[in-house]
Amino acid sequence: MFITLATDFGTSDYFVGAMRGVILARNPQARIFDITHEIPAHDIRAGAFILLAAYREYPERTVHVAVVDPGVGSARRPILIVTPRYFFIGPDNGLFSYVCEREGEVRAFHLTNERFFRHPVSATFHGRDIFAPVAASLTLGVPPEEFGPPIDDLVQLEPLAPQRVGENEMRARIVHIDRFGNCITNLTRADLTEEMIARGAHLLANGRKISSFRRFFDEGTTDEPFAVWGSAGFLEIVIKLDSAAQKLGLVRGQEIIVRLAGD
Amino acid sequence: MFITLATDFGTSDYFVGAMRGVILARNPQARIFDITHEIPAHDIRAGAFILLAAYREYPERTVHVAVVDPGVGSARRPILIVTPRYFFIGPDNGLFSYVCEREGEVRAFHLTNERFFRHPVSATFHGRDIFAPVAASLTLGVPPEEFGPPIDDLVQLEPLAPQRVGENEMRARIVHIDRFGNCITNLTRADLTEEMIARGAHLLANGRKISSFRRFFDEGTTDEPFAVWGSAGFLEIVIKLDSAAQKLGLVRGQEIIVRLAGD
Amino acid sequence: MFITLATDFGTSDYFVGAMRGVILARNPQARIFDITHEIPAHDIRAGAFILLAAYREYPERTVHVAVVDPGVGSARRPILIVTPRYFFIGPDNGLFSYVCEREGEVRAFHLTNERFFRHPVSATFHGRDIFAPVAASLTLGVPPEEFGPPIDDLVQLEPLAPQRVGENEMRARIVHIDRFGNCITNLTRADLTEEMIARGAHLLANGRKISSFRRFFDEGTTDEPFAVWGSAGFLEIVIKLDSAAQKLGLVRGQEIIVRLAGD
């Protein structure tokens, strides 16, 4: 009965308001919650990360609708993904790659059954005309199989995990910069272990060495950048009460070198 | 039981949060949905368009509250508009012109019965003190007549439709620029028919000729602007994965010439 | 059953979406409403004002969750405040000072009972891991005492009220600048009475004398700044259809002199 929305539509247009209306017109009992509508326009990787960071907080059987859809109207497929705990609806362009990596067990369906669409189906706004009404129908109990044929060749992004390069180096990257300028990397505690850190592992960001690992944002006493395990489960590069992104000139997508020993 | 909100209040102030509270304090069962709060400040035409593009997706009997209200506190009237399918509540300044054009059958009431207001009624925030509580009362089943006397002289904006100028030209305009920089005109398929396009009709925007009509955003192969029938039912001037507004220097309100033949 | 959220998290990250999920996973019946997520980052006074301006519109027993939390993870305490009408949950850093001033009768509890937290508790996102789940539990009927020990030494901001300086002067300040550029002061009708105004009281803002008191925004006929009693109950410095903040170079926190007589 819960539907979440994560899009790059912004909130200044009629887009999101229209999607909500379409859902309610089909299932007045549906409860709709925003994850965000401020995913950078057309940025599939950014959307994939935001979704990854939020989806698991929701109750089982929540329907997560995500729309970052530069290819709307073209040959890219509208899809439904079913995992043991959740449903995901949106374009087949990699937006669900990271959640699929994490969920593991995944079934996918190509949304072709126009009976569940809003008509006329525009060529430019499948969020309103396909994804929203399919989400509403799903919360009404329509079985996934009815929306279209199963598929097993989902578009995948490159994996989220960092790459090991030789014995002493990993190539990580910044996957998100949050409102406060904190730079979230793709390094998990499994990638960069306590043992590695104890042995002197450190980061290189734009040539700047970051070797201080702390526990929370307010802990620093200077304006030196440091690393902290963030709330999404990834290592973040931060500066106390300041924007690390701005101070260090870091942007999303940028490579971060992890030196496991030496410097 | 559904109330939507469309305002120019932004989301950084207490305005919208206060309106929600007022509604819930009167009808705890009310379900409140945002269309947008990012209508450009004081821009009645922009608000009228956003409302037009979203209102019909909602279930019948939805109460649409819209507030773009530079004249709040002055002689402008607070009104309730009743159509066979919907209710509209807000200031009488043209904000509901376009939806009234489309709905056709319209009854209007001047909101004068202070029994339904939040007290004290401020002179600067009728969204909270008049529109929100009246909307809540309406969802509780209060008949429209109880809120005040019927009126039949609503403030009207100039019509949304483009103007025919001679045999071979129409004067259209840009009524909205969306987040992606797509420029939405006031041309519908009834104004600019398939036949006209087949005969060579084209647009002039800032002196630039636009003669390519395509089906969706991703269809273009160059960075040439083209026209596409958008999801709100109007012709849009767009550039593939780029901002047509920025590239062509177009702004909301700007005239677009439609040449029906020749160039 | 109502929970409101007021934060400085913005809406472009996963933060707010995650908080909503945590609440719903614990109480699927909870109804969640945003006051705002655009409180300026780390600005506790701004948050305290927004909360003050909105909280009383909500039904009794609403749980107001507020998060502006630069000290997250440090020694600052997570707290629950109980007043006869409302609950407040967030960090103990002064964010609830103004509402406590107004509510008067206040009990407070230090949130220490980890049984009600989301686990693992991060050091950087107590909004998701402590405040949201405690709010959900509260709406499920858990008594306040169960969340932790009572405390009576809440962190307080300097009082909101202006200061009297000698017989003929008050020192007020700008506590908020709204979306329209209206500058909201901390002067109430009790501070600056009708009698004082009748006797010639006026304001000095950046050396500029403001002696015109009007009833609503649209009343001015020139571009002169004037004062109006705003919807939050405070005197506002405004310019008709323009930004007083920009025109007069005013910023939040700035001192406003009130001269009670002479000039």
Side-chain angles (χ1 to χ4, degrees):
Chain A
M1 213 177 72
F2 295 109
I3 295 174
T4 76
L5 305 178
T7 77
D8 68 347
F9 289 154
T11 51
S12 60
D13 284 294
Y14 60 91
F15 304 138
V16 180
M19 286 180 71
R20 291 189 186 108
V22 166
I23 291 168
L24 295 171
R26 278 150 189 79
N27 181 2
Q29 309 300 325
R31 299 189 58 205
I32 307 168
F33 295 89
D34 296 323
I35 289 183
T36 180
H37 299 290
E38 308 296 337
I39 296 168
H42 306 314
D43 192 332
I44 294 165
R45 279 164 193 78
F49 175 77
I50 290 282
L51 197 58
L52 178 70
Y55 82 99
R56 285 196 299 185
E57 307 302 340
Y58 282 81
E60 290 205 15
R61 305 194 63 71
T62 291
V63 179
H64 293 293
V65 176
V67 193
V68 177
D69 198 7
V72 61
S74 72
R76 78 92 189 86
R77 299 174 298 191
I79 54 170
L80 161 64
I81 294 173
V82 183
T83 77
R85 296 191 58 199
Y86 296 108
F87 301 98
F88 299 91
I89 294 174
D92 179 29
N93 60 14
L95 190 54
F96 303 107
S97 270
Y98 300 162
V99 297
C100 285
E101 265 187 60
R102 185 161 292 175
E103 289 287 296
E105 196 180 331
V106 157
R107 288 186 302 149
F109 300 88
H110 183 185
L111 301 172
T112 56
N113 190 339
E114 299 191 1
R115 187 157 67 84
F116 298 104
F117 297 174
R118 172 194 177 278
H119 293 276
V121 177
S122 72
T124 58
F125 191 7
H126 287 184
R128 178 192 64 187
D129 301 338
I130 298 182
F131 306 137
V134 165
S137 298
L138 205 53
T139 60
L140 288 169
V142 175
E145 294 75 13
E146 290 206 22
F147 295 104
I151 50 177
D152 58 6
D153 56 345
L154 292 180
V155 171
Q156 299 289 333
L157 301 180
E158 74 283 13
L160 186 61
Q163 290 192 298
R164 191 75 179 239
V165 181
E167 251 180 67
N168 289 315
E169 196 170 306
M170 276 189 289
R171 298 223 169 128
R173 65 183 192 275
I174 294 174
V175 291
H176 184 65
I177 291 175
D178 75 16
R179 182 194 197 193
F180 303 97
N182 303 318
C183 300
I184 301 168
T185 73
N186 59 339
L187 290 159
T188 67
R189 284 187 168 92
D191 301 317
L192 182 62
T193 63
E194 287 302 310
E195 204 193 324
M196 290 173 183
I197 294 170
R199 282 187 197 159
H202 59 267
L203 311 180
L204 288 171
N206 261 356
R208 176 86 173 249
K209 181 176 171 178
I210 297 163
S211 54
S212 172
F213 291 78
R214 297 182 192 161
R215 223 169 51 82
F216 53 86
F217 298 141
D218 200 33
E219 207 173 358
T221 50
T222 68
D223 62 352
E224 284 293 299
F226 59 96
V228 65
W229 288 108
S231 58
F234 298 99
L235 195 71
E236 303 183 6
I237 299 171
V238 309
I239 295 179
K240 180 177 173 174
L241 295 183
D242 208 334
S243 166
Q246 227 177 317
K247 278 285 169 67
L248 304 177
L250 299 176
V251 295
R252 203 180 61 74
Q254 184 163 343
E255 191 177 74
I256 302 292
I257 303 288
V258 185
R259 287 274 163 74
L260 297 180
D263 43 14
Chain B
M1 212 176 74
F2 296 110
I3 295 174
T4 75
L5 305 177
T7 78
D8 68 346
F9 289 154
T11 52
S12 61
D13 284 295
Y14 61 90
F15 304 137
V16 181
M19 286 180 71
R20 291 189 186 108
V22 167
I23 291 168
L24 295 171
R26 278 151 190 77
N27 181 3
Q29 309 300 326
R31 299 189 58 206
I32 306 168
F33 296 89
D34 296 324
I35 289 183
T36 181
H37 298 290
E38 308 295 338
I39 296 168
H42 306 314
D43 192 333
I44 294 165
R45 278 163 193 79
F49 175 77
I50 290 282
L51 197 58
L52 178 70
Y55 82 99
R56 285 196 298 184
E57 306 302 341
Y58 283 82
E60 290 206 13
R61 304 194 65 71
T62 291
V63 179
H64 293 294
V65 177
V67 193
V68 177
D69 198 8
V72 61
S74 72
R76 78 92 189 86
R77 299 174 297 191
I79 54 170
L80 161 64
I81 294 173
V82 183
T83 77
R85 296 191 57 198
Y86 296 109
F87 302 98
F88 299 90
I89 294 174
D92 179 29
N93 59 15
L95 190 53
F96 304 107
S97 269
Y98 300 161
V99 297
C100 286
E101 265 187 61
R102 185 161 293 175
E103 289 287 296
E105 196 181 332
V106 156
R107 288 186 303 148
F109 300 88
H110 182 186
L111 301 173
T112 56
N113 190 340
E114 300 191 0
R115 187 157 68 84
F116 298 105
F117 297 174
R118 171 195 177 278
H119 294 275
V121 177
S122 72
T124 58
F125 191 7
H126 287 183
R128 178 192 64 187
D129 300 338
I130 298 182
F131 306 137
V134 165
S137 298
L138 204 53
T139 60
L140 288 169
V142 176
E145 293 75 13
E146 289 206 22
F147 295 104
I151 50 177
D152 58 6
D153 56 344
L154 292 180
V155 171
Q156 299 289 332
L157 300 180
E158 74 282 12
L160 186 61
Q163 291 192 297
R164 191 75 180 239
V165 181
E167 251 180 67
N168 288 314
E169 195 170 306
M170 275 189 290
R171 298 224 168 127
R173 65 183 192 274
I174 294 174
V175 291
H176 184 66
I177 292 175
D178 75 17
R179 181 193 198 194
F180 303 97
N182 302 318
C183 300
I184 301 168
T185 72
N186 59 339
L187 291 159
T188 67
R189 284 187 169 92
D191 301 317
L192 183 62
T193 63
E194 287 302 310
E195 204 192 323
M196 290 172 183
I197 294 170
R199 282 187 197 159
H202 59 266
L203 311 180
L204 288 171
N206 261 356
R208 176 86 172 249
K209 181 176 171 178
I210 296 163
S211 54
S212 172
F213 291 78
R214 297 183 192 159
R215 224 169 50 82
F216 52 86
F217 298 141
D218 200 33
E219 208 174 357
T221 50
T222 69
D223 62 352
E224 284 293 299
F226 58 96
V228 66
W229 288 108
S231 58
F234 298 99
L235 195 71
E236 303 183 6
I237 299 171
V238 309
I239 295 180
K240 180 177 173 174
L241 295 183
D242 207 334
S243 166
Q246 227 177 317
K247 278 285 169 66
L248 304 177
L250 299 176
V251 295
R252 203 179 62 74
Q254 184 163 343
E255 191 177 74
I256 301 292
I257 304 288
V258 185
R259 287 274 164 74
L260 296 181
D263 43 14
Chain C
M1 212 176 73
F2 295 109
I3 295 174
T4 76
L5 305 177
T7 78
D8 68 347
F9 289 154
T11 51
S12 60
D13 284 295
Y14 61 90
F15 303 138
V16 180
M19 286 180 71
R20 291 189 186 107
V22 167
I23 291 168
L24 296 171
R26 278 150 190 78
N27 182 2
Q29 309 300 325
R31 299 189 57 205
I32 307 168
F33 296 89
D34 296 323
I35 289 183
T36 181
H37 299 290
E38 308 297 338
I39 296 168
H42 306 313
D43 192 333
I44 294 165
R45 278 163 193 79
F49 175 78
I50 290 281
L51 197 58
L52 178 70
Y55 82 99
R56 285 196 300 185
E57 307 302 340
Y58 282 82
E60 290 206 14
R61 305 194 64 71
T62 291
V63 180
H64 293 294
V65 177
V67 193
V68 177
D69 198 8
V72 61
S74 72
R76 79 92 189 87
R77 300 174 297 191
I79 55 170
L80 161 64
I81 293 173
V82 183
T83 77
R85 296 191 58 199
Y86 296 108
F87 302 98
F88 299 91
I89 294 174
D92 179 29
N93 60 15
L95 190 54
F96 303 107
S97 269
Y98 300 162
V99 297
C100 285
E101 265 187 61
R102 185 161 293 175
E103 289 287 296
E105 196 180 332
V106 157
R107 288 185 303 148
F109 300 88
H110 183 186
L111 301 172
T112 56
N113 190 340
E114 300 191 1
R115 187 157 67 84
F116 298 105
F117 298 174
R118 172 195 177 277
H119 294 276
V121 177
S122 72
T124 58
F125 191 8
H126 287 184
R128 178 192 64 187
D129 301 338
I130 298 182
F131 306 136
V134 165
S137 298
L138 205 53
T139 60
L140 288 169
V142 175
E145 294 75 13
E146 290 206 22
F147 295 104
I151 50 177
D152 58 5
D153 56 344
L154 292 180
V155 171
Q156 299 289 333
L157 300 180
E158 74 282 13
L160 186 61
Q163 290 192 298
R164 191 74 179 239
V165 181
E167 251 180 67
N168 288 315
E169 195 170 306
M170 276 189 290
R171 297 223 169 129
R173 65 183 192 275
I174 294 174
V175 292
H176 184 65
I177 291 175
D178 75 16
R179 181 195 198 193
F180 303 97
N182 302 318
C183 300
I184 301 168
T185 73
N186 59 339
L187 290 158
T188 67
R189 283 187 169 91
D191 301 317
L192 182 62
T193 63
E194 287 301 310
E195 204 193 323
M196 290 172 183
I197 294 170
R199 283 187 197 159
H202 59 266
L203 311 180
L204 288 171
N206 261 357
R208 176 85 173 249
K209 181 176 171 178
I210 297 164
S211 55
S212 172
F213 292 77
R214 297 182 193 161
R215 223 168 51 81
F216 51 87
F217 298 141
D218 200 33
E219 208 174 358
T221 50
T222 68
D223 61 353
E224 285 293 299
F226 59 96
V228 66
W229 288 108
S231 58
F234 298 99
L235 194 71
E236 304 183 5
I237 299 171
V238 309
I239 295 180
K240 180 177 173 174
L241 295 183
D242 207 335
S243 166
Q246 227 178 317
K247 278 285 169 67
L248 304 177
L250 299 176
V251 295
R252 203 180 62 74
Q254 184 164 343
E255 190 177 74
I256 301 292
I257 303 288
V258 185
R259 286 274 164 74
L260 296 181
D263 42 13

Coordinates of all heavy atoms in Angstrom, one line a residue, chain B residues 1 19 28 55 83 85 87 107 120 131 166 170 173 180 190 192-193 203 214 222 238 243 245 249 251 258 260 263:
Chain B
M1 N -12.2 14.0 0.0 CA -11.3 13.7 1.1 C -9.8 14.1 0.7 O -8.9 14.2 1.5 CB -11.3 12.3 1.5 CG -11.0 12.1 3.0 SD -11.2 10.4 3.5 CE -9.7 9.6 2.8
M19 N -0.3 25.6 6.7 CA -1.6 25.2 6.0 C -2.0 23.8 6.2 O -3.1 23.5 6.5 CB -1.4 25.5 4.5 CG -1.4 26.9 4.1 SD -1.2 27.2 2.3 CE -2.8 26.6 1.7
P28 N -9.0 15.6 10.5 CA -7.8 14.7 10.6 C -7.8 13.7 9.6 O -6.8 13.0 9.3 CB -8.0 14.1 12.0 CG -9.0 15.0 12.7 CD -9.9 15.6 11.7
Y55 N -4.5 19.2 -12.6 CA -5.7 19.0 -11.8 C -6.6 17.8 -12.2 O -7.2 17.1 -11.4 CB -6.6 20.2 -11.8 CG -7.5 20.4 -13.0 CD1 -8.8 20.1 -12.9 CD2 -7.0 20.9 -14.2 CE1 -9.7 20.3 -14.0 CE2 -7.8 21.1 -15.2 CZ -9.2 20.8 -15.2 OH -10.0 21.0 -16.2
T83 N -17.1 22.8 -10.0 CA -17.4 22.3 -11.3 C -18.0 20.9 -11.1 O -18.0 20.4 -9.9 CB -16.1 22.1 -12.1 OG1 -15.4 21.0 -11.7 CG2 -15.3 23.4 -12.0
R85 N -16.9 18.1 -11.5 CA -15.9 17.1 -11.0 C -15.1 17.6 -9.8 O -14.6 16.7 -9.0 CB -15.0 16.6 -12.1 CG -15.7 15.9 -13.2 CD -14.7 15.3 -14.2 NE -13.9 14.4 -13.5 CZ -12.7 13.9 -14.0 NH1 -12.3 14.3 -15.1 NH2 -12.0 13.1 -13.3
F87 N -13.5 20.9 -7.0 CA -13.6 22.1 -6.2 C -12.2 22.9 -6.4 O -11.2 22.2 -6.4 CB -13.9 21.9 -4.8 CG -15.1 21.1 -4.5 CD1 -15.0 19.8 -4.2 CD2 -16.3 21.8 -4.5 CE1 -16.2 19.1 -4.0 CE2 -17.5 21.1 -4.2 CZ -17.4 19.7 -4.0
R107 N -19.6 27.0 -11.2 CA -20.3 27.9 -10.2 C -19.3 28.5 -9.3 O -18.3 27.8 -8.9 CB -21.4 27.1 -9.4 CG -22.6 26.7 -10.2 CD -23.6 26.1 -9.2 NE -23.1 24.9 -8.5 CZ -23.4 24.5 -7.3 NH1 -24.3 25.2 -6.6 NH2 -22.9 23.5 -6.8
P120 N -7.3 34.5 14.7 CA -7.6 35.7 14.0 C -7.2 35.6 12.5 O -6.2 35.0 12.2 CB -6.8 36.8 14.7 CG -5.6 36.1 15.2 CD -6.1 34.7 15.6
F131 N -8.3 29.9 3.0 CA -8.3 28.8 2.0 C -8.2 27.4 2.6 O -9.0 26.5 2.3 CB -7.3 29.0 0.9 CG -7.3 30.4 0.3 CD1 -6.2 31.1 0.0 CD2 -8.6 31.0 -0.1 CE1 -6.2 32.4 -0.6 CE2 -8.6 32.2 -0.6 CZ -7.5 32.9 -0.9
G166 N -4.4 37.0 -39.7 CA -4.5 36.8 -41.2 C -4.6 35.3 -41.5 O -4.9 34.5 -40.7
M170 N -0.2 32.5 -36.9 CA -0.8 32.5 -35.6 C 0.2 33.1 -34.7 O 1.4 32.9 -34.8 CB -1.1 31.1 -35.1 CG -2.5 30.5 -35.6 SD -2.9 29.0 -34.8 CE -1.7 27.9 -35.6
R173 N 2.4 31.6 -27.7 CA 3.4 32.1 -26.7 C 3.9 30.9 -25.9 O 3.2 29.9 -25.8 CB 2.8 33.2 -25.9 CG 1.7 32.9 -25.0 CD 1.2 34.1 -24.2 NE 0.3 33.7 -23.1 CZ -1.0 33.5 -23.3 NH1 -1.6 33.7 -24.5 NH2 -1.8 33.2 -22.3
F180 N 13.7 21.0 -17.3 CA 14.7 20.5 -18.3 C 14.9 21.6 -19.4 O 15.7 21.4 -20.3 CB 14.2 19.2 -18.9 CG 14.0 18.1 -17.9 CD1 12.7 17.9 -17.4 CD2 15.0 17.4 -17.4 CE1 12.4 16.9 -16.5 CE2 14.8 16.4 -16.4 CZ 13.5 16.2 -15.9
A190 N -5.5 21.0 -31.7 CA -6.7 21.6 -32.4 C -6.2 22.9 -33.0 O -6.8 23.3 -34.1 CB -7.8 21.8 -31.4
L192 N -3.0 23.7 -34.0 CA -2.0 23.4 -35.1 C -2.2 21.9 -35.5 O -1.6 21.0 -34.9 CB -0.6 23.6 -34.5 CG 0.6 23.4 -35.5 CD1 0.5 24.4 -36.6 CD2 1.9 23.5 -34.7
T193 N -2.9 21.8 -36.5 CA -3.4 20.4 -36.9 C -2.3 19.6 -37.7 O -1.4 20.2 -38.2 CB -4.6 20.5 -37.8 OG1 -4.3 21.2 -39.0 CG2 -5.8 21.2 -37.1
L203 N 7.5 27.0 -36.8 CA 7.5 28.0 -35.8 C 8.7 29.0 -36.0 O 9.7 28.6 -36.6 CB 7.7 27.3 -34.4 CG 6.8 26.2 -34.1 CD1 7.2 25.6 -32.7 CD2 5.4 26.5 -34.1
R214 N 8.9 16.1 -34.0 CA 9.3 14.7 -33.7 C 8.4 14.2 -32.6 O 7.5 14.8 -32.1 CB 10.7 14.7 -33.3 CG 11.6 15.1 -34.4 CD 13.1 15.0 -34.1 NE 13.8 15.7 -35.2 CZ 15.1 16.2 -35.1 NH1 15.7 16.0 -33.9 NH2 15.7 16.8 -36.1
T222 N 20.9 15.6 -33.5 CA 21.8 16.8 -33.4 C 21.4 17.7 -32.3 O 20.6 17.3 -31.5 CB 21.7 17.6 -34.8 OG1 20.5 18.2 -34.8 CG2 21.9 16.7 -36.0
V238 N 12.0 21.9 -27.9 CA 13.0 21.2 -27.1 C 14.3 21.0 -27.9 O 14.3 21.2 -29.1 CB 12.4 19.8 -26.6 CG1 11.1 20.0 -26.0 CG2 12.3 18.9 -27.8
S243 N 18.9 22.3 -22.7 CA 17.8 23.3 -22.4 C 17.6 24.1 -23.6 O 18.4 25.0 -24.0 CB 18.3 24.1 -21.2 OG 17.4 25.3 -21.1
A245 N 15.4 26.5 -23.7 CA 15.2 27.8 -23.2 C 16.5 28.6 -23.2 O 16.6 29.7 -23.7 CB 14.6 27.8 -21.8
G249 N 17.5 31.2 -25.9 CA 17.2 32.5 -25.2 C 15.7 32.7 -25.0 O 15.3 33.9 -25.2
V251 N 12.1 32.9 -23.0 CA 11.6 33.1 -21.6 C 10.1 32.9 -21.6 O 9.4 33.0 -22.7 CB 11.9 34.5 -21.1 CG1 13.4 34.6 -20.9 CG2 11.3 35.5 -22.0
V258 N 3.7 31.3 -35.6 CA 3.5 30.1 -36.3 C 3.2 30.5 -37.8 O 2.2 31.2 -38.0 CB 2.3 29.3 -35.8 CG1 2.1 28.0 -36.5 CG2 2.4 29.0 -34.3
L260 N 2.0 29.3 -41.3 CA 1.3 28.2 -41.8 C 1.7 27.7 -43.2 O 1.5 26.6 -43.6 CB -0.2 28.4 -41.8 CG -0.8 28.7 -40.4 CD1 -2.3 28.9 -40.4 CD2 -0.5 27.5 -39.5
D263 N 7.8 30.9 -45.9 CA 8.7 31.1 -44.7 C 9.1 32.6 -44.7 O 9.7 33.0 -43.8 CB 9.9 30.3 -44.7 CG 10.6 30.2 -46.1 OD1 10.2 31.0 -47.0 OD2 11.4 29.3 -46.3

